[in-house]
Amino acid sequence: MCRPRPGQSTVTGTGARTDDAERGTLDKAAAENFPVAPFFLPRAWRTDLMAVYGFARLVDDIGDGDLAPGGPDARLLGVSPEEAEDRTVLLDAFEADLRRVFDGTPHHPLLRRLQPTVRRRSLTPEPFLGLIAANRQDQLVGRYETYDDLLAYCELSANPVGRLVLAVTGTATPERIRLSDAVCTALQIVEHLQDVAEDLGRDRIYLPAADMKRFHVEETDLAAKTAGASVRALVAYEAERAHNLLNEGTPLVGSVHGRLKLLLAGFVAGGRAAIRAIAAAEYDVLPGPPKASRLQLLREVGVTLRGEG
């Protein structure tokens, strides 16, 4: 729901193969923790959710420096080869192309795919701009002093995706948005816990500095091959916070019906299953992301649908 194996874009001659540039990003949907647009949803919803996913995936790839080699996406966005490695320039160009979705004809095929969705669902620019702003922030901010600072980041990096899901499915209300924000923030925190080592490799730490100090954790402790007792205690503390946020947002599932209920239950269950996997690893996330099994995920879906947990 929130933030959401990749193929590769190719270049032929001097121009980007736009179909491959689009497909390379959308193929990553198969690697997500829970299906982005599962088969049981109405076709119109699947089409629009995949269009939103394509945007969110591409902006994250730009912000993380994970674009396909050769610069096809940069070319499509009108960025010169000399600036194709500059993430800030790419994000600026991507924002300019996003604005064309609302008042013109965008250049990038993923944004052209998004345009009918925006019109059909009367989507506004704000959630899309929030995701771009989060990736800009990643270029400037690599540490968060307090938990509240981290929550403010999640307001940009995760919550807009949940709001877009509600908008696409025509189910947005102020209360559902509040509950969705809790779920999305929880899922973002869980992802940060799974990816402590990977994020450190990007010179980013999403564990609040105040909490690290409280648990006597230094940055060097996060670079170890396995977590010591202090790091494990810190991860357990943050996992409990995420679990509480998930519980706060879970009534969202019961507020809707039909296939949307199953979709939202899947998102909540994915977070719960990931937290259980982290606990099963005894909160040692440094060797790599603890992952839940498909069976555990399905069990958590059942628990969530029954209103338990």
Side-chain angles (χ1 to χ4, degrees), residues 11 21 56 63 83 113 133 139 154 162 169 172 174 176 179 198 201 204 213:
V11 178
E83 294 183 301
R113 172 189 281 257
Q139 312 314 308
C154 293
T169 57
R176 285 181 181 140
L179 296 172
E198 179 182 337
R204 300 175 188 166
K213 182 176 180 180

Side-chain angles (χ1 to χ4, degrees), residues 3 55 59 91 94-95 98 126-141 144 152-153 155-157 160:
R3 301 258 320 203
F55 172 90
V59 72
L91 288 168
F94 192 59
E95 179 177 334
L98 168 68
E126 285 72 24
F128 300 104
L129 292 171
L131 294 173
I132 294 174
N135 279 275
R136 279 207 186 91
Q137 187 163 314
D138 279 335
Q139 312 314 308
L140 302 171
V141 180
Y144 291 86
Y153 170 73
E155 180 70 24
L156 296 173
S157 68

Side-chain angles (χ1 to χ4, degrees), residues 9 51 72 93 108 111 120 151 185 196 258 272 282:
S9 302
H108 199 287
L111 293 181
R120 186 161 47 240
L151 293 182
T185 292
V196 168
R272 286 177 168 168
E282 298 181 339

Side-chain angles (χ1 to χ4, degrees), residues 50-267:
M50 282 303 295
V52 168
Y53 172 82
F55 172 90
R57 181 69 268 166
L58 182 55
V59 72
D60 276 355
D61 284 351
I62 293 172
D64 289 340
D66 290 340
L67 292 182
D73 293 290
R75 288 186 179 87
L76 288 164
L77 294 172
V79 175
S80 69
E82 294 75 22
E83 294 183 301
E85 301 301 318
D86 189 323
R87 300 178 195 177
T88 300
V89 170
L90 285 168
L91 288 168
D92 288 346
F94 192 59
E95 179 177 334
D97 211 27
L98 168 68
R99 294 188 184 278
R100 295 185 191 101
V101 170
F102 295 89
D103 61 14
T105 302
H107 299 157
H108 199 287
L110 285 170
L111 293 181
R112 290 200 297 271
R113 172 189 281 257
L114 180 64
Q115 192 167 47
T117 292
V118 163
R119 292 172 175 170
R120 186 161 47 240
R121 306 297 179 182
S122 300
L123 304 182
T124 64
E126 285 72 24
F128 300 104
L129 292 171
L131 294 173
I132 294 174
N135 279 275
R136 279 207 186 91
Q137 187 163 314
D138 279 335
Q139 312 314 308
L140 302 171
V141 180
R143 308 291 187 274
Y144 291 86
E145 181 61 31
T146 68
Y147 182 64
D148 284 344
D149 293 336
L150 185 63
L151 293 182
Y153 170 73
C154 293
E155 180 70 24
L156 296 173
S157 68
N159 297 0
V161 179
R163 295 182 180 206
L164 285 166
V165 170
L166 294 177
V168 163
T169 57
T171 55
T173 66
E175 177 62 8
R176 285 181 181 140
I177 288 171
R178 184 187 72 80
L179 296 172
S180 171
D181 286 353
V183 171
C184 287
T185 292
L187 294 178
Q188 181 75 90
I189 291 172
V190 171
E191 182 179 322
H192 289 328
L193 294 178
Q194 290 177 307
D195 294 340
V196 168
E198 179 182 337
D199 289 334
L200 186 64
R202 301 181 191 272
D203 195 27
R204 300 175 188 166
I205 297 176
Y206 295 102
L207 298 166
D211 296 343
M212 291 176 63
K213 182 176 180 180
R214 173 182 174 182
F215 285 90
H216 308 289
V217 172
E218 303 288 340
E219 289 193 14
T220 53
D221 297 327
L222 303 180
K225 291 184 178 179
T226 188
S230 295
V231 172
R232 292 173 192 246
L234 172 59
V235 171
Y237 177 72
E238 305 299 350
E240 181 65 19
R241 278 177 153 172
H243 184 261
N244 290 339
L245 275 173
L246 271 179
N247 286 344
E248 179 184 332
T250 296
L252 175 67
V253 177
S255 77
V256 299
H257 304 282
R259 287 175 281 189
L260 179 58
K261 186 184 185 79
L262 182 56
L263 178 70
L264 298 183
F267 293 138

